[in-house]
Amino acid sequence: MEEFLGENPHKRLIKELLVEGKIFSVQLQSLLKQPNESVLADELIQKIWGSLTQAITVLNSLGNSDNSLTQSQIEKVDQPNSGSGLKMKKEKQDRRGCYKRRKTSGSWMRESETMNDGCAWRKYGQKKILNSKYPRCYYRCTHKYDQECRATKQVQIIQENPTKMYHTTYFGNHTCNSTKIPKHTYNSQFNHAMVKHSNSTVLKEEEEEEEEESKGQSDNASSIVDSNLWQDFMPSSPSAHDSTLAANYNAAYYEGVISSHDMEDLAKFGEIEAIEFC
DNA sequence: CTAATTTGACCTCT
DNA sequence: AGAGGTCAAATTAG
């Protein structure tokens, strides 16, 4: 959510709808023509979903200025030495229950057979939810305090499903450096999972890194690759001049996925340094 | 002993 | 008023 602040909403919408939506859709289309690619196709579907969710978030913020104000106020309160009344209250009183009810914007969801996503989470609460057979569990990043990582998630068993499936809602990005996501993947952050994971060399490197890292952790290692895939569609601030990103955009243009007009917009907003097409 | 989990209380929001 | 989100003391696990 924070990544939206200070970013041009128009720019964000173009990224989410014109670029990500189109690129991922076409990639999915080509994947569906190939056998044995159902896992990657599923990941792409999740990414498209995430992209659309982000776009809706931006639209919501455009359509309701009151919400934007509330968000900025919340951010202000969170800053140290803000001196606001709420902050004073937080410092001097019992902080239990002192929170703003979470809005669904800025969140994204995932359904899986395992709760494990490769990150270190700490459970901080569990609630019985109305009309729900199973309770909802609340998790925050283990490094909330030592690295000020504000990522949280809510996990709920999907009751309709006979096999145990988990519906997880994520809030905020991990800002800690404890995730198993290789830096080159995490930092580029503009959802290049298809590019990266279709490259066997890169994938192998990632698996080796993960194997090293997983030695000291209790998480189930079986879902590490899966976790890296889904982590790629975490909403986050893209690197404006990421070379892979620019290459991806240009490839998308050549494939006809995005138009010259889209590319002009991207150049205008600084997503690519120069328009490479003729 | 330390870290994680459980659980009831407390608070905000609808 | 009640549902949902968070806190923190108590408890459990490693």
Side-chain angles (χ1 to χ4, degrees):
Chain A
M1 195 57 207
E2 291 153 38
E3 64 272 15
F4 298 147
L5 300 175
E7 184 174 12
N8 185 327
H10 185 196
K11 172 184 171 183
R12 182 77 192 179
L13 276 175
I14 288 170
K15 278 192 273 181
E16 296 295 345
L17 291 175
L18 296 182
V19 181
E20 301 219 290
K22 284 186 181 179
I23 291 173
F24 292 150
S25 297
V26 170
Q27 287 175 343
L28 176 61
Q29 193 175 31
S30 61
L31 266 184
L32 289 174
K33 292 175 184 171
Q34 303 169 17
N36 306 321
E37 296 287 1
S38 60
V39 175
L40 286 174
D42 185 54
E43 294 297 332
L44 269 179
I45 290 168
Q46 299 265 23
K47 287 163 71 175
I48 293 167
W49 185 13
S51 180
L52 291 173
T53 303
Q54 294 302 330
I56 290 167
T57 300
V58 176
L59 280 172
N60 279 340
S61 68
L62 288 174
N64 188 345
S65 57
D66 288 341
N67 281 351
S68 302
L69 184 60
T70 302
Q71 182 60 38
S72 65
Q73 286 171 333
I74 291 168
E75 291 297 319
K76 213 173 186 178
V77 166
D78 286 341
Q79 288 170 6
N81 307 319
S82 69
S84 72
L86 183 53
K87 177 70 178 179
M88 296 289 283
K89 186 182 174 185
K90 277 186 171 182
E91 283 176 352
K92 297 196 172 181
Q93 296 185 4
D94 187 346
R95 295 179 61 189
R96 279 182 294 182
C98 294
Y99 73 102
K100 293 288 182 185
R101 184 166 291 193
R102 200 189 292 280
K103 290 189 167 47
T104 54
S105 59
S107 66
W108 64 104
M109 290 162 283
R110 176 198 185 212
E111 290 179 4
S112 62
E113 293 178 12
T114 171
M115 284 171 64
N116 179 29
D117 52 29
C119 298
W121 297 100
R122 180 163 178 170
K123 190 176 181 178
Y124 66 84
Q126 179 174 313
K127 261 303 204 213
K128 176 91 178 71
I129 301 301
L130 188 69
N131 298 326
S132 185
K133 187 177 177 180
Y134 304 99
R136 176 178 299 165
C137 297
Y138 301 88
Y139 296 84
R140 62 164 171 82
C141 179
T142 302
H143 306 284
K144 179 182 179 180
Y145 299 115
D146 58 353
Q147 294 181 41
E148 296 184 351
C149 181
R150 295 162 70 181
T152 62
K153 72 172 181 178
Q154 300 175 358
V155 181
Q156 199 161 5
I157 297 173
I158 303 170
Q159 50 194 343
E160 298 85 18
N161 202 315
T163 62
K164 242 184 185 176
M165 285 284 286
Y166 297 92
H167 184 278
T168 308
T169 306
Y170 295 88
F171 300 89
N173 291 322
H174 279 280
T175 55
C176 59
N177 54 17
S178 67
T179 63
K180 296 179 178 180
I181 311 156
K183 277 208 159 47
H184 62 270
T185 302
Y186 191 65
N187 288 343
S188 63
Q189 300 225 357
F190 204 44
N191 304 337
H192 303 307
M194 266 312 297
V195 175
K196 291 185 179 299
H197 291 277
S198 60
N199 181 327
S200 60
T201 306
V202 173
L203 183 58
K204 191 163 181 278
E205 284 174 6
E206 290 175 359
E207 285 170 347
E208 284 167 359
E209 278 187 56
E210 289 150 9
E211 198 176 340
E212 282 295 312
E213 292 176 14
S214 65
K215 284 175 183 171
Q217 303 205 23
S218 58
D219 290 329
N220 180 2
S222 65
S223 64
I224 288 172
V225 174
D226 173 56
S227 70
N228 278 337
L229 283 166
W230 76 259
Q231 288 283 4
D232 277 335
F233 60 81
M234 290 169 75
S236 48
S237 307
S239 169
H241 302 302
D242 185 310
S243 59
T244 312
L245 175 59
N248 210 19
Y249 288 160
N250 282 304
Y253 169 73
Y254 285 120
E255 289 167 15
V257 179
I258 58 178
S259 67
S260 58
H261 182 257
D262 297 341
M263 292 292 280
E264 285 166 4
D265 275 337
L266 288 166
K268 187 168 67 182
F269 289 117
E271 288 306 311
I272 52 178
E273 289 187 10
I275 304 172
E276 295 179 14
F277 60 84
C278 304

